Amino acid sequence: MTQEFFSNSSNSSQLSHLDSQGEAQMVDVSGKVATVREAVATARVRMLPETFAAIQAGNAPKGDVLATARLAGIMAAKQTANLIPLCHPLPLQKITVDIKPDEQLPGYQIYATVKTKAETGVEMEALTAVSVAALTLYDMAKALEKSIQIEAISLVSKTGGKSGDYQQF
């Protein structure tokens, strides 16, 4: 995108992470009230039926694929502010990562729920959790299959905050 796009006052006023000169900035949330906020994100990991069967049977060369991916997702949510430049470090009160087998894919549906009581939301933490869980699942199973696909990373819902609630269609 061009500098003109970011300098346009109508566009930059809509983008909270840009200052009046179009430069990236961390949003000042110090004046906001801390409220309970929760976000749910999802990702899908598609693979060959043989790979799916091996993971389900616990026959992956690197060990417990799903437990490792779940733990990686939880750890990643806690590191989001270190990974995404303009994210605020937040006190996270709840992080869950659920990995559900889906024979129709075949593969796995990954869901992360992140909750906090803070001045800003946890959408990025939930999205980071499912992304890293999916990448870890790939890493743990790549000896079985290199063509595993990570798909459809998205925000499912969020509650709390000034912008209100969001629910994916």
Side-chain angles (χ1 to χ4, degrees), residues 52-112:
F52 178 71
I55 293 170
Q56 284 296 101
N59 293 331
K62 287 189 171 183
D64 191 337
V65 172
L66 303 180
T68 305
R70 187 176 298 108
L71 184 58
I74 292 167
M75 292 172 66
K78 296 191 303 182
Q79 294 299 314
T80 301
N82 293 325
L83 300 169
I84 310 294
L86 301 177
C87 281
H88 293 84
L90 296 172
L92 303 179
Q93 278 79 32
K94 175 186 174 189
I95 305 168
T96 60
V97 176
D98 296 312
I99 304 174
K100 301 187 182 309
D102 184 340
E103 292 181 15
Q104 300 303 311
L105 282 175
Y108 295 90
Q109 301 280 351
I110 303 172
Y111 297 91

Side-chain angles (χ1 to χ4, degrees), residues 18-160:
L18 296 180
D19 65 16
S20 60
Q21 282 73 47
E23 299 292 326
Q25 67 175 355
M26 189 168 183
V27 175
D28 180 1
V29 296
S30 62
K32 293 173 109 181
V33 175
T35 60
V36 174
R37 298 156 189 265
E38 184 173 87
V40 178
T42 188
R44 188 169 50 226
V45 182
R46 186 183 306 266
M47 60 197 60
L48 295 172
E50 300 79 19
T51 305
F52 178 71
I55 293 170
Q56 284 296 101
N59 293 331
K62 287 189 171 183
D64 191 337
V65 172
L66 303 180
T68 305
R70 187 176 298 108
L71 184 58
I74 292 167
M75 292 172 66
K78 296 191 303 182
Q79 294 299 314
T80 301
N82 293 325
L83 300 169
I84 310 294
L86 301 177
C87 281
H88 293 84
L90 296 172
L92 303 179
Q93 278 79 32
K94 175 186 174 189
I95 305 168
T96 60
V97 176
D98 296 312
I99 304 174
K100 301 187 182 309
D102 184 340
E103 292 181 15
Q104 300 303 311
L105 282 175
Y108 295 90
Q109 301 280 351
I110 303 172
Y111 297 91
T113 302
V114 181
K115 190 173 185 178
T116 189
K117 183 173 183 180
E119 296 81 9
T120 190
V122 286
E123 297 92 338
M124 294 309 299
E125 287 75 7
L127 288 162
T128 299
V130 296
S131 299
V132 171
L135 288 167
T136 302
L137 198 154
Y138 180 94
D139 180 54
M140 294 291 291
K142 69 185 176 194
L144 299 169
E145 177 188 349
K146 302 275 191 272
S147 62
I148 294 169
Q149 297 173 10
I150 298 170
E151 307 172 340
I153 297 169
S154 65
L155 181 67
V156 174
S157 64
K158 75 146 208 101
T159 58

